[in-house]
Amino acid sequence: MKVQGTLKASELFAIIVLVIGIKLSDMTPAIYAQTGKNGYWLMPFISFMVIMPSVLLLVYLLEKYKNKTLVELNRHILGSKIGSVVSFILFLSTFFALSIDSRNYVDTIGTMYFEESPELILYLIFMIVCAFGAKKGFQAIGSTAWAILPYIKIALFILLFILLKDVIWLRVFPIFGDGLKGIVIEGAKKGSVFGDLFVIATAYPLFKDKKSFRKGYLIGSFFVLIELTFFFLMYCTFYDYKSITKVAFPFHEITQYINLGTFFTNIETFFMAFWVLCALFRFVLLLYITTWLFGDIFNIKEFEPLVFIVALIAITVGIIPDGPIYDNIARRENFLDVVTPFLVVFPMVLWIVAKFKGELRKE
């Protein structure tokens, strides 16, 4: 498998912050709000606590079995056949995340900014751009992440600064919304909101300095948890109790509402530009890693040219479901519920089998 190049901790940090951080602006808040109501800002913390032990266990195994890709690790521990099956399930999870999420993002672009444009044309343009970006390779993806991160975060800080004057902090009460039980259960079921951490773990062989991987991985993970939690809190204090479950795109609604005095109005285009850039980056990474997993499973060394084929199949799968926005929210919610148990159990099974075989005692 072709996995050349060396990435830095700063680049991995930027990748995690961009790829997971953009979920503060997609349908994730709307999914959480259906159950959590004005207490849904606590749910990312629950999701993170559910998924993080498995993530750390996977990182531990990758460090133990040095220089192995995730697919090679599965085959080594579970055997060639079972390891390939597990790897294929992981590939399918990543592929459907690519298809479902890309459709949702294109829906967002069409609904909020280009209402008259054909959805299929928007989808094709979006994925073609992603395919060209993915073909550049992981090294270019990492460098790009670190280059664009400051600009995106500055734009986000500007939005936050303007937003603060309109929040009503008392709207955070009752803190647990309709009840703590619902927040905990639904937060746990949505652990795969942080599932991209498993996807990003495939980059482990690209690091010569494994301490850099651990440093960038952990700092990025906790940073994005704080970021999501804080912005979800801002949404809860901006929207009232009744409307919070009816807003599909809270981030974009806010950008259309705010202004800078009477002169600078309709400034949502400024924020849209940075959001589209971040969205493109997310799917460049997902498309690349999905293709990488496919190439690794079927021993295709030069897998980069396949990104265009995978992108076309993703469009075909993503465009099939047709319905209102709330159908897409339900579809993504069901996907999160289904994938979470697999992501939680998968590293545990690897660790148990490796421990039983006695390989973890080897230096």
Side-chain angles (χ1 to χ4, degrees), residues 168-243:
I168 300 175
W169 293 101
L170 289 177
R171 285 176 176 167
V172 76
F173 297 103
I175 291 179
F176 299 124
D178 282 348
L180 180 60
K181 181 179 178 181
I183 289 176
V184 172
I185 293 176
E186 289 302 316
K189 289 168 65 177
K190 305 298 184 296
S192 54
V193 164
F194 293 93
D196 291 319
L197 291 173
F198 288 89
V199 175
I200 296 169
T202 58
Y204 181 80
L206 299 175
F207 285 78
K208 283 186 177 179
D209 181 7
K210 306 309 178 184
K211 290 183 179 179
S212 294
F213 176 86
R214 193 185 309 116
K215 181 180 178 181
Y217 199 80
L218 292 178
I219 295 176
S221 300
F222 283 98
F223 179 90
V224 83
L225 169 64
I226 295 170
E227 183 180 48
L228 288 181
T229 302
F230 183 74
F231 263 88
F232 288 1
L233 175 61
M234 291 297 99
Y235 298 157
C236 288
T237 55
F238 182 83
Y239 298 101
D240 61 37
Y241 184 85
K242 293 182 178 179
S243 66

Side-chain angles (χ1 to χ4, degrees), residues 29-202:
I31 291 173
Y32 276 144
Q34 300 308 307
T35 302
K37 301 297 190 294
N38 60 311
Y40 81 82
W41 63 278
L42 296 167
M43 295 174 72
F45 180 78
I46 304 297
S47 299
F48 188 82
M49 290 300 102
V50 166
I51 208 74
M52 200 57 188
S54 296
V55 170
L56 294 176
L57 199 56
L58 181 62
V59 172
Y60 167 76
L61 291 171
L62 287 168
E63 290 177 343
K64 276 291 184 179
Y65 296 87
K66 299 177 181 178
N67 300 321
K68 289 188 181 296
T69 65
L70 194 53
V71 173
E72 291 169 345
L73 178 68
N74 291 337
R75 286 172 173 164
H76 180 86
I77 295 177
L78 301 176
S80 179
K81 292 183 178 179
I82 297 178
S84 295
V85 170
V86 171
S87 298
F88 191 72
I89 294 173
L90 185 63
F91 160 75
L92 288 178
S93 300
T94 308
F95 174 78
F96 282 111
L98 170 67
S99 300
I100 294 172
D101 285 358
S102 61
R103 166 64 187 275
N104 290 342
Y105 277 66
V106 170
D107 279 345
T108 304
I109 294 171
T111 302
M112 301 302 298
Y113 304 107
F114 299 99
E115 296 182 20
E116 302 300 323
S117 300
E119 185 178 38
L120 180 58
I121 300 300
L122 289 175
Y123 207 170
L124 283 170
I125 294 173
F126 186 85
M127 292 302 289
I128 288 172
V129 173
C130 291
F132 276 105
K135 196 175 183 300
K136 299 293 184 181
F138 215 117
Q139 191 69 34
I141 292 173
S143 301
T144 303
W146 184 243
I148 67 175
L149 179 66
Y151 302 102
I152 290 174
K153 292 309 169 185
I154 289 172
L156 206 57
F157 179 79
I158 293 172
L159 175 64
L160 179 62
F161 179 77
I162 301 171
L163 175 64
L164 283 174
K165 64 181 176 62
D166 292 311
V167 302
I168 300 175
W169 293 101
L170 289 177
R171 285 176 176 167
V172 76
F173 297 103
I175 291 179
F176 299 124
D178 282 348
L180 180 60
K181 181 179 178 181
I183 289 176
V184 172
I185 293 176
E186 289 302 316
K189 289 168 65 177
K190 305 298 184 296
S192 54
V193 164
F194 293 93
D196 291 319
L197 291 173
F198 288 89
V199 175
I200 296 169
T202 58

Side-chain angles (χ1 to χ4, degrees), residues 221-278:
S221 300
F222 283 98
F223 179 90
V224 83
L225 169 64
I226 295 170
E227 183 180 48
L228 288 181
T229 302
F230 183 74
F231 263 88
F232 288 1
L233 175 61
M234 291 297 99
Y235 298 157
C236 288
T237 55
F238 182 83
Y239 298 101
D240 61 37
Y241 184 85
K242 293 182 178 179
S243 66
I244 202 166
T245 60
K246 298 178 175 64
V247 181
F249 311 111
F251 175 85
H252 300 281
E253 295 284 355
I254 286 174
T255 61
Q256 293 189 349
Y257 170 82
I258 61 174
N259 57 72
L260 292 173
T262 57
F263 186 76
F264 292 103
T265 58
N266 300 323
I267 60 174
E268 66 270 12
T269 305
F270 170 79
F271 297 107
M272 183 201 73
F274 291 100
W275 178 80
V276 170
L277 178 62
C278 192

